[in-house]
Amino acid sequence: MNPWLIGLLALTALRLAAAALLPVAPDEAYYWIWGRNLQPGYLDHPPMVGLWIAAGTGLLGDNPLGIRLLGPLGLALASVAVARAGDALFPQSRPGKSAALLLNAMPLTNAGAVLMTPDTPLVVFWCLALWAAARLHATGDGRYWLAVGGFAGCALLSKYTAALFGAGLLLWLVADPSARRWWRGAWLYLGGVAAVLLFLPVVAWNASHGWASFAKQGGRAGAGTEFGLRYVWELLGGQLALASPVLFVICALGIGVGVADWARRRSGGVGLLLGLMLPAALVFLWQATGSRVQGNWPAVLYPAACIAAAAFAAPRWQRIGAWIGGGMTLAILLQAAFSPIPLPRSADPTLARLAGWPELAREVEAARAAAGADFVAAEEYGLAAELALHLPREVPVVAISDRWDLFTLPEPPPGRTGLMLRSLRRGEGAPLWPGAVRVGEVLRGRDGVEAERYRLFQVETPPGREPSALLPRPR
């Protein structure tokens, strides 16, 4: 068997093991709720991550591996797509396998392969759309536009950021002389129709819910009102850590050499690669001049950037970058799973996001039973979802906030007494639920290191006064 394929299968097996071993993060637990309440749209994102979780938990149950199953499998498929795309765009040097190796060595990619968030299916379908576009360029077969449109539509069903893939294609079709012929045929437009049809359910859901999701995510776009470089440096520093330093640098150099190569030779393959990166990169940099860009957002840049690095960077630096990135990934996973170094919350994001959820649920259940409360509640959606995932199945879990009005979940019955958790990070303000009475405090942590503290309040379900929902429980 091909050694490269053996390596990919071994890496996928390791990722599946990590997915089974690591605790579920709050955002993952929240998206697990999506998988139990499937809709064409949600306040935060389109529905694809919920569909993936529903498929995984339908096969393996409501556990960490079930929630994350399609992540490692999808990234394996995406790796093959990047390898094939690299070879199609650069048939003489065939850098595809090296590009896939660089992509798989990045801590950011490995986090997306193990933790299930909307970025996971987004990156998978982005890579598949990149492969289809590369095959379109290499073969000249217009039928590949249908695959481009189909995969791009699935990426749009994953996260609105996928619109930047369409912007990249448009730039390529306008700027690259070898691509302009596609305007004269029908296949380009049929591919666009395929993408639009796949995305229409999200549009329909937004139309029937006051355009809630479009308004929320659209409000996050833009560079803010004051120009500055603070967030630009933060963005670049974050990418040095998330992509790993050497890999980030050779990706940036590969893009720079690619721009010079295209300016000199007008190579269609290089033009396509640059077209799919530059709009997104410029949007993120522009936004960072006035507001924070989350570190995971630029993940869509790296499939094409790794192809550019593999095509133009020295093999020696590719190997060094892969070893460093792989070593960083291994260290992060070991810390998340076994915490060999007792780092504080401020220095250990795995402690803040992953640690102590089952233990917290046991402590909360003991407090609920001692108080004789009927249910457990939380204002924070991630905290409520973690409680729903870990508390005993017979204990009702109530989530409190406006976002739950957009779900088709039942409301809690009025007049019941419950126990509500509220993180100390939310400050000293009054809880959302009126009449809450503070009764205690609980701690979440790992091996004696504190991750977070929560106040406990006694509450009563008021009839129709606060948006709330009864969350689904593990089957």
Side-chain angles (χ1 to χ4, degrees):
M1 186 182 288
N2 187 322
W4 183 86
L5 184 57
I6 293 174
L8 179 60
L9 292 175
L11 178 60
T12 302
L14 289 173
R15 286 171 171 167
L16 288 168
L21 181 64
L22 295 179
V24 174
D27 284 347
E28 293 181 286
Y30 175 55
Y31 300 132
W32 167 74
I33 300 292
W34 292 20
R36 296 292 302 277
N37 188 239
L38 291 173
Q39 301 180 157
Y42 301 89
L43 175 64
D44 310 85
H45 299 288
M48 186 62 75
V49 68
L51 294 170
W52 277 35
I53 290 174
T57 55
L59 290 171
L60 300 182
D62 297 308
N63 53 62
L65 184 57
I67 290 170
R68 298 162 171 161
L69 176 65
L70 293 192
L73 301 180
L75 263 295
L77 180 61
S79 300
V80 175
V82 168
R84 296 290 179 85
D87 289 348
L89 293 172
F90 297 92
Q92 288 77 30
S93 58
R94 299 184 65 82
K97 292 178 180 178
S98 295
L101 172 63
L102 300 182
L103 184 66
N104 279 276
M106 291 182 171
L108 178 60
T109 304
N110 283 286
V114 174
L115 304 178
M116 180 58 73
T117 71
D119 291 283
T120 304
L122 168 66
V123 169
V124 171
F125 288 119
W126 188 291
C127 290
L128 292 170
L130 170 61
W131 164 80
R135 291 296 299 164
L136 169 77
H137 166 74
T139 65
D141 187 344
R143 290 173 294 182
Y144 275 105
W145 276 115
L146 297 177
V148 172
F151 290 133
C154 288
L156 272 173
L157 286 174
S158 305
K159 200 172 180 181
Y160 299 124
T161 310
L164 296 172
F165 188 92
L169 282 177
L170 181 62
L171 176 61
W172 175 60
L173 289 166
V174 170
D176 197 297
S178 67
R180 293 173 190 157
R181 64 189 181 96
W182 293 114
W183 294 106
R184 298 189 295 271
W187 290 113
L188 166 63
Y189 306 100
L190 291 174
V193 168
V196 169
L197 288 176
L198 283 167
F199 190 61
L200 272 181
V202 180
V203 178
W205 183 89
N206 271 274
S208 63
H209 290 80
W211 308 103
S213 185
F214 289 169
K216 175 180 171 62
Q217 296 301 335
R220 300 176 73 174
T225 57
E226 295 185 8
F227 179 86
L229 296 179
R230 169 192 170 189
Y231 294 120
V232 173
W233 302 128
E234 180 183 287
L235 171 63
L236 295 176
Q239 295 312 299
L240 281 168
L242 291 170
S244 79
V246 174
L247 291 180
F248 178 75
V249 170
I250 65 173
C251 281
L253 290 174
I255 294 170
V257 175
V259 170
D261 181 83
W262 185 83
R264 184 176 66 256
R265 300 191 299 120
R266 291 295 193 274
S267 168
V270 176
L272 174 58
L273 202 63
L274 296 175
L276 294 179
M277 285 187 289
L278 292 180
L282 292 174
V283 166
F284 294 139
L285 283 172
W286 167 69
Q287 181 157 353
T289 61
S291 61
R292 177 170 284 112
V293 174
Q294 299 298 324
N296 58 296
W297 293 358
V300 294
L301 297 173
Y302 288 113
C306 285
I307 294 175
F312 296 117
R316 177 172 177 265
W317 285 107
Q318 294 181 43
R319 290 192 296 270
I320 292 172
W323 278 109
I324 292 175
M328 290 175 62
T329 297
L330 182 60
I332 293 168
L333 290 176
L334 289 174
Q335 181 68 18
F338 305 109
S339 58
I341 305 174
L343 298 173
R345 176 191 170 99
S346 59
D348 187 355
T350 71
L351 172 69
R353 304 300 294 168
L354 302 179
W357 294 110
E359 295 80 7
L360 174 68
R362 286 195 290 269
E363 190 170 351
V364 170
E365 170 56 13
R368 183 202 67 82
D374 297 319
F375 63 88
V376 174
E379 297 173 346
E380 299 164 84
Y381 64 85
L383 173 58
E386 288 281 6
L387 294 171
L389 189 60
H390 293 294
L391 281 169
R393 296 180 185 178
E394 66 274 11
V395 178
V397 177
V398 176
I400 311 163
S401 80
D402 292 342
R403 72 175 57 242
W404 300 106
D405 280 348
L406 301 176
F407 286 74
T408 57
L409 293 169
E411 295 184 1
R416 301 289 179 85
T417 300
L419 203 62
M420 187 182 76
L421 277 74
R422 193 172 195 266
S423 172
L424 268 66
R425 290 185 296 106
R426 293 176 70 87
E428 298 292 338
L432 294 177
W433 219 326
V437 178
R438 183 175 173 181
V439 294
E441 200 170 279
V442 289
L443 169 70
R444 177 172 63 86
R446 181 175 63 195
D447 298 332
V449 181
E450 179 179 324
E452 195 159 3
R453 286 183 179 271
Y454 305 88
R455 293 189 178 98
L456 293 176
F457 295 86
Q458 182 175 306
V459 295
E460 184 176 300
T461 50
R465 291 184 61 184
E466 291 297 329
S468 56
L470 276 172
L471 298 188
R473 309 307 312 286
R475 290 161 287 202

